[in-house]
Amino acid sequence: MRNPSASELRVVRESGKLSSGGSPHRKHRKDVESGGGSSGGYEEYESVYDPFDIVRTKSAPVDRLRRWRQAALVLNASRRFRYTLDLKRAEEKKELIAKIRTHAQVIRAAYLFQAAGEKTDGTPKAPPSPIPTGDYDVSPEQLATMTRDHDFSTLQNFGGVKGLAEKLKTNPDKGIHEDDSNILDRKNVFGSNTYPRKKGRSFWRFMLDACRDTTLIILMVAAASSLALGIKTEGIEEGWYDGGSIALAVIIVILVTAISDYKQSLQFQNLNEEKQNIQLEVVRGGRRVEISIFDIVVGDVIPLKIGDQVPADGVLVSGHSLAIDESSMTGESKIVTKDHKSPFLMSGCKVADGYGTMLATSVGINTEWGLLMASISEDNGEETPLQVRLNGVATFIGIVGLVVAVSVLVILLARFFTGHTKDEKDNVEFIAGKTSLGDAVDGAIKIFTVAVTIVVVAVPEGLPLAVTLTLAYSMRKMMDDKALVRRLSACETMGSATTICSDKTGTLTLNLMTVVEAYICGKKVNPPNNTSELPSGVTSLLIESVAQNTTGSVFLPEGGKDVEVSGSPTEKAILQWGVNLGMNFEVVRSESSIIHAFPFNSEKKRGGVAVKRPDSQVHVHWKGAAEIVLAACTTYMDSNEQLVPLDDEKVEYFKKAIEDMAAGSLRCVAIAYRPLKGETVPTDEEELSIWEMPEGDLVLLAIVGLKDPCRPGVKDAVQLCVKAGVKVRMVTGDNLQTARAIALECGILGSNADATEPNLIEGKSFRALSEAQRLEVADKISVMGRSSPNDKLLLVQALRKTGHVVAVTGDGTNDAPALHEADIGLAMGIQGTEVAKESSDIIILDDNFASVVKVVRWGRSVYANIQKFIQFQLTVNVAALVINVVAAVSSGDVPLNAVQLLWVNLIMDTLGALALATEPPTDHLMDRLPVGRREPLITNIMWRNLLIQALYQVSVLLVLQFRGREILHTQHDPNEHATKQKNTLIFNAFVFAQIFNEFNARKPDEMNVFKGVTKNRLFMGIVGFTVVLQVIIIMFLGKFTSTVRLSWQLWLVSIGIAIISWPLAVVGKLIPVSERPFGDYFVDLFALCTRRRNGGSSARRNEDDT
């Protein structure tokens, strides 16, 4: 006999593992991520047997995604797979993008061929004839053609960038005027920076999708047949009720489903628009202002830096080492350098290196990017691990339900055609040779309808969709908590996070830097902007360095208002210090020119510029991490403006100063320069572009300490994480001592005793370890200082290999690999570059660590809400199935008919999901350990709760089914009325039992199930709506539901039966449950039986051999 397959074992085990209180590091049989696998615990898609075992859908292989879709038991594929990745459309999208890219490349190739074939006599091409558009001397078509074809000769004919700026009535340095009429005029003439988006699905499309449910289609056919037969046999006045009531119930189910799905889709549309709304800086009226990407107009001057997205088509005004990644448009991962010979920039591309400014020439649909985005529809599709697992659970339950339904169908048909089924008047319904064909068919259709309705109730079609519902709700609410979710799966994965690797600056700190200490001329200057202690020559050099070696800017408003400083927090702090020293930014920038630049590099921790002064002398200015720049210096300038060699004593003095500042949680930055003789600097532009600026033999000008205070509440947030079993690690590029001081202040390090290796480690030390050593120390690391982006990536990989579910924060372009590698990548919304945001799963809009902790709460809430819904739905499933099966087998009659079961299905599926899947998170969630990604969905606690409730409901309702007439004293009443009254009481008590049990499902492991219930208005509204509808059904819609009006005494009996579920739940929670998942016992038993049978077979074979 064959051994059980992994999928068979999983089906048994899936239904019974314990999750609450379980360790995230528990080694499951197949959980190689927690170190139990043969491959070292890093394969995420290891199960080749179980299609539903996908713990990480981020970058999951397409064949794995296709396999679980094929394995799922689905009644309505268009609805079930609506919010999963459309594999066919994804392929079509790739093909369409490739076609558009090819088209653009063919146009450029044709242009180059045409240019090569032009006259060689040097006669320039005739300038384009101006087509006046509004007040501008150039048309949108001319601009679009020029940038699309990269037509350099047309740009020259316009008079270069300056000439083009004049035609567009803008200034290459100061940009356009900021008044609204000017901006509106430009939008009218050149278009807005938006593109036509494909309309979202209409409500009618959702109606059509809801109609595609196989069982509902069968029920509609059955209803139509029943309607036709009823009218034929009983006439139109009485005969339409049976068929009409089923049809009406199906229509209501379709309508409620469509409304729920439509509202959900609107939420996703709003979130998509929010994702695309990039905020960036433009220069208007000489001032840098932050605007939405959609508000950019032709003529805008836009600063660009590493990691930015090029927001429109345009031409380069000025740039230094500017390199663009054009792969999003060309499909080729080749970095293209931009300069005055190759000035054309394409919208949608990313800045890979350097910085510069551009002039926007085409926006929106006039750009290739706009055409591309207008051609492809936004696809919300992306499955989450929980969604895949729930499809597995739904398939298993559905198969059980299908078997039950077929059994009921066979039993009822057998009883019917053998004459064992009686009607309400105690008459035999079918007598061979006497009953008419119409009556026989009508009876068979009713039986078939009940069986199909059992399938509707049994197959939990809404279970996987409940994930989407709770995620849509959570994503909308998370926006209020300053978190924008880019990937659905990140929302739930965050609930399993066991560690958070956080940046320091701006996340744990306020990102409001100020220069509070300065060492200049070999001594401490107090206050740091005290120019009276500084010689004019040193002050002049410092001001030149601060003004030129920056990506920020300073704007001086008219009327003597305060200066406006823009740029990164570090740049702003140093620029403000420069202003305090007497710097006039515009004047200093105009007096000298930058001839070469080395943009700040997170690997080298410094950036520099070469500046040509009016006297043709060249100064190379460097700025960066204090100890690194200090190591490159050989002299410093003293108070007499003399160069003094840096001897060991002075180096130690400066090192001690850096350590003291770092210990005071200051970020230390050194400023140095080196004068060059003209002949050592290349004059040819091509040579200059590849020239490497001297990095050694520098003159130290200043070491400054920047204070960036901890965020209020960050210590409490860190402590909350510790309590919740989530370890917070600080990974920063700052000095190790600065990192240590901030970590102690934030509570990441408990005391000075913790501040030792490997708790506290430098990036280069971690990098130098072997892979085995990194795996050993990774879990112990609390603070990593002077780390490069690659160090962060190595740490993430090591932590994941040791079984952690890792969340990582990042803001820089070089953080993209770590953000992508992590289970959850968290990009910073304020300081984060577009490259970092695109690689992330969630954007923290306020850059605050406390918001990261809120995301953890929401992630846990998603998982908890799904478990509540599963407990509630399985209770209804078990009770409804058992009652109908037992009744069918024993008496040939089912107490819950098709219409009643459809109403129960509506309570259980759509309304139940709305009520339970939208519970807001509570602090109680942070008292637990993280949920392991292979922890069971149905825990021992849930099994206990649902079995107690289901057994109670089944027992009471079966007693009513078989002894109801005696209990109600209706033995002597007319048979038809007495049976209907009994069945109505069963139906009413069953529905109220589900309503009361909905409260129990809110708090599966807490005694007080009413805690916070009034704050959840949606829950209260749905419960109230269900009660009102139930009253209306019983009191006024008896003809449709085959019920009778109940007396007030029987109403009290119904409510009394239901209300017992509350004290029963309290008593049930006193019953202890095993730590070991129930499912494991069944797996062991199954394996033991298999071994015994195999052992017996082997023994027999051995006997035969002998």
Side-chain angles (χ1 to χ4, degrees), residues 27 168 347 512 725 744 811 840 866 968:
K27 291 184 170 128
L168 292 173
S347 178
L512 296 173
L744 285 166
D811 52 17
S840 70
I866 294 303
L968 298 174

Side-chain angles (χ1 to χ4, degrees), residues 736 761-768 784-788 791 794:
L736 197 59
I761 196 169
E762 213 167 39
K764 64 182 180 185
S765 305
F766 183 70
R767 197 184 319 147
M784 186 186 285
R786 280 288 175 246
S787 69
S788 68
D791 298 332
L794 288 172

Side-chain angles (χ1 to χ4, degrees), residues 197 266-278 292-294 378 380 484:
R197 294 203 184 101
L266 292 179
Q267 288 182 6
F268 281 120
Q269 275 182 36
N270 295 336
L271 287 164
N272 263 338
E273 286 173 16
E274 199 65 44
K275 278 190 252 181
Q276 292 163 352
N277 187 14
I278 298 168
S292 163
I293 191 170
F294 303 131
E378 274 298 318
N380 293 324
L484 171 63

Side-chain angles (χ1 to χ4, degrees), residues 661-902:
M661 286 192 284
S665 71
L666 302 188
R667 168 176 279 190
C668 303
V669 175
I671 298 168
Y673 97 112
R674 177 173 163 179
L676 296 179
K677 293 178 181 176
E679 60 269 18
T680 60
V681 181
T683 51
D684 180 73
E685 194 165 322
E686 284 189 16
E687 287 181 19
L688 195 61
S689 65
I690 58 170
W691 175 56
E692 289 191 8
M693 296 191 307
E695 298 180 16
D697 203 17
L698 305 182
V699 179
L700 181 66
L701 293 176
I703 296 174
V704 293
L706 287 73
K707 180 68 176 173
D708 186 12
C710 268
R711 284 184 180 272
V714 77
K715 189 166 187 176
D716 293 338
V718 169
Q719 290 309 310
L720 190 61
C721 281
V722 172
K723 187 175 77 166
V726 182
K727 178 160 183 173
V728 181
R729 304 167 203 269
M730 182 197 291
V731 184
T732 176
D734 258 351
N735 181 302
L736 197 59
Q737 294 308 313
T738 306
R740 175 181 169 278
I742 292 287
L744 285 166
E745 201 176 330
C746 293
I748 292 172
L749 291 174
S751 64
N752 282 316
D754 295 334
T756 55
E757 271 203 28
N759 277 10
L760 192 72
I761 196 169
E762 213 167 39
K764 64 182 180 185
S765 305
F766 183 70
R767 197 184 319 147
L769 299 174
S770 66
E771 186 176 356
Q773 289 171 320
R774 283 201 293 269
L775 291 176
E776 195 178 324
V777 302
D779 203 29
K780 300 170 187 172
I781 294 171
S782 295
V783 177
M784 186 186 285
R786 280 288 175 246
S787 69
S788 68
N790 191 51
D791 298 332
K792 187 186 276 190
L793 178 61
L794 288 172
L795 178 62
V796 170
Q797 289 173 338
L799 287 168
R800 289 194 61 231
K801 285 179 184 179
T802 55
H804 280 285
V805 178
V806 185
V808 169
T809 70
D811 52 17
T813 304
N814 294 327
D815 286 330
L819 289 168
H820 186 267
E821 179 69 26
D823 296 287
I824 314 104
L826 303 158
M828 297 298 109
I830 299 170
Q831 290 303 316
T833 63
E834 282 311 309
V835 171
K837 289 175 187 175
E838 284 202 1
S839 298
S840 70
D841 305 302
I842 298 173
I843 299 172
I844 304 300
L845 298 173
D846 62 353
D847 291 13
N848 191 344
F849 184 77
S851 300
V852 176
V853 180
K854 286 176 184 173
V855 173
V856 175
R857 286 174 85 235
W858 277 108
R860 293 186 176 195
S861 175
V862 167
Y863 199 89
N865 286 351
I866 294 303
Q867 288 187 314
K868 293 170 190 176
F869 181 56
I870 291 172
Q871 180 181 307
F872 173 67
Q873 190 167 48
L874 287 186
T875 307
V876 185
N877 272 5
V878 171
L881 288 177
V882 171
I883 291 163
N884 268 11
V885 170
V886 172
V889 170
S890 57
S891 64
D893 178 35
V894 284
L896 300 172
N897 63 33
V899 176
Q900 292 168 0
L901 282 174
L902 283 172

Side-chain angles (χ1 to χ4, degrees), residues 457 876 900-909 987 990-991:
V457 175
V876 185
Q900 292 168 0
L901 282 174
L902 283 172
W903 169 230
V904 168
N905 186 62
L906 202 60
I907 296 171
M908 176 183 76
D909 236 4
F987 169 56
F990 183 68
V991 168

